[in-house]
Amino acid sequence: MQAFKPFYIARLPRILFGRGRLNEAPALIAGYGRKALLVTGKQSFFGTPRWQSFIDALAGQGVEWRHCAVSGEPSPQLIDDTVDQFRNEHIEVVVAIGGGSVLDAAKAIAGLLPSGDSVLDYLEGVGRNKPYRGPSTPFIAVPTTAGTGSEATKNSVLSVQGPQGFKKSFRDECLVPEYAILDPDLLASCSPALLAADGMDALTQLLESYVSAKANPFTDALAWSGMQAVKDGFFAAWHGAEPEAGEGRAAMAYAALLSGITLAQVGLGSVHGLASPLGAFFPIPHGVVCGTLVAVATDVNIRAMQAREPANPALAKYAAVGRLLSGQNELDDQLARDALIALLADWSNRLKLDRLSVYGITEADFPHVIANARGSSMQTNPIVLADEEIGEILRKRL
């Protein structure tokens, strides 16, 4: 019988999932008040015909709106400037429609509009360590990509890029969206390159949370379901041939949502531990980091556990995922783990995900990256990796 150890499930948003669910957003927004701040990317959604339909529908509900656009990964300065711009506008609800960066930015803006505080008061690791008490302005998240799962988390990830840069979170359960509205049709405007990077991010989040040192039966069930969806829908969405692509986009929207739920509950692993400094110091997209590292990181984790912790339960989990994704149910555990590593490497190659050197990373940068890789994600990796093992992950994908 499976052992059920105590676990805790943090707050989740109310979730609306399905094609066309965006049409329900204006009425939900009106339920929170008559003045909304709409946060979008500079092109996604705002640059499509859906924008006009959406603001017309808001007007039909009697909702007045303000708008701000986010380009690239949000910085603390952008958050503070936006809060200063809108804090006297009596905003009653914040609505984010965009990718993970847009959702993360809007989450922080919603959290700080009532007080007008600087986000640096609360940013983990680099901020002033002031406890966040809320309240947050009600927040509705509408993802237009399928990668970070930000719509289901309490985390707002903010970055300052450069040699002394950082990528840190402002996090609190008050920041969890009131609603997450997932309309897979919104993914139709994503390029194949974006679908590839985001899809590998979602898969990595599902895999890392499944083997997390804090994993529990509740999150395992969600992560497994998400990985099944990735297996069924990822390449259909990426190839873009209809009608299969439409079902693929729905599968990936579902997988990304579940990846956000599981990462928020039990954490991640070495890939995301490295993604934080790599994304802060170099202009490498988050999804590309995940996709390019996940096969090697999985290999290093497995070999480390076989050498030092052969009874680690994550070894059996990696084998199970190998059988799931490869479709070879007859494989024994060792062959299944080998199949998983080979499959992840093959997917990275098929999706043409760049190696680290493309972004100017050299071996001389490794000590600085490794020294900054032991944040919260690395704390839930299924085994503690030595600096040499982390360096091996980087070296093999240079």
Side-chain angles (χ1 to χ4, degrees), residues 21-378:
R21 298 304 298 259
L22 177 66
N23 296 331
E24 299 174 47
L28 287 176
I29 294 166
Y32 287 97
R34 296 297 170 194
K35 198 166 196 179
L37 175 62
L38 308 182
V39 184
T40 70
K42 287 202 170 177
Q43 293 299 324
S44 66
F45 192 75
F46 181 61
T48 72
R50 289 178 180 273
W51 170 255
Q52 188 61 51
S53 301
F54 185 76
I55 58 175
D56 288 345
L58 277 182
Q61 292 287 339
V63 176
E64 184 182 351
W65 54 271
R66 299 288 183 269
H67 175 240
C68 71
V70 174
S71 178
E73 295 187 358
S75 67
Q77 188 64 53
L78 178 135
I79 301 304
D80 286 354
D81 290 347
T82 306
V83 169
D84 285 344
Q85 181 181 353
F86 292 104
R87 74 166 303 225
N88 294 319
E89 292 266 3
H90 306 292
I91 300 293
E92 295 173 280
V93 56
V94 175
V95 184
I97 309 176
S101 293
V102 170
L103 269 55
D104 279 2
K107 200 180 295 180
I109 293 165
L112 297 170
L113 274 177
S115 66
D117 288 347
S118 168
V119 73
L120 286 172
D121 287 346
Y122 308 105
L123 205 56
E124 68 175 13
V126 295
R128 302 182 184 96
N129 295 318
K130 186 176 173 182
Y132 180 73
R133 307 292 187 198
S136 176
T137 306
F139 171 49
I140 295 174
V142 186
T144 59
T145 60
T148 69
S150 176
E151 65 273 15
T153 79
K154 63 181 179 181
N155 304 347
S156 168
V157 181
L158 307 177
S159 304
V160 170
Q161 199 168 79
Q164 303 305 316
F166 60 80
K167 193 172 215 179
K168 298 292 183 182
S169 289
F170 168 33
R171 67 179 90 204
D172 192 276
E173 288 202 17
C174 293
L175 306 181
V176 174
E178 292 289 315
Y179 282 92
I181 302 175
L182 291 101
D183 185 337
D185 286 347
L186 295 174
L187 273 59
S189 60
C190 293
S191 67
L194 186 59
L195 287 168
D198 285 348
M200 289 302 281
D201 182 18
L203 173 60
T204 303
Q205 290 176 169
L206 291 162
L207 177 61
E208 290 198 315
S209 58
Y210 186 63
V211 299
S212 162
K214 292 184 177 178
N216 61 61
F218 181 87
T219 56
D220 281 356
L222 297 181
W224 188 263
S225 180
M227 289 187 284
Q228 284 181 311
V230 171
K231 178 193 175 189
D232 295 340
F234 191 0
F235 282 92
W238 183 65
H239 286 306
E242 304 293 350
E244 292 82 3
E247 292 303 317
R249 289 190 290 270
M252 293 309 295
Y254 172 76
L257 168 68
L258 295 190
S259 79
I261 294 173
T262 57
L263 83 84
Q265 308 299 327
V266 298
L268 293 165
S270 60
V271 174
H272 280 83
L274 282 165
S276 178
L278 286 170
F281 303 152
F282 303 95
I284 179 169
H286 178 74
V288 173
V289 177
C290 295
T292 204
L293 295 184
V294 64
V296 177
T298 299
D299 182 28
V300 168
N301 270 350
I302 288 171
R303 284 191 283 109
M305 284 186 280
Q306 288 174 325
R308 301 197 295 274
E309 299 180 10
N312 191 312
L315 279 171
K317 286 184 163 185
Y318 276 127
V321 177
R323 285 187 282 269
L324 170 69
L325 296 182
S326 72
Q328 300 179 78
N329 295 325
E330 74 283 1
L331 296 180
D332 66 26
D333 280 4
Q334 184 56 56
L335 289 175
R337 287 189 285 267
D338 292 344
L340 173 61
I341 295 164
L343 179 141
L344 293 172
D346 176 61
W347 283 18
S348 294
N349 291 332
R350 288 169 63 187
L351 296 166
K352 298 180 172 59
L353 296 172
D354 292 328
R355 288 177 169 268
L356 301 177
S357 58
V358 171
Y359 298 92
I361 301 165
T362 70
E363 195 154 349
D365 298 309
F366 288 2
H368 188 39
V369 172
I370 294 168
N372 288 276
R374 295 196 180 277
S376 58
S377 292
M378 197 67 87

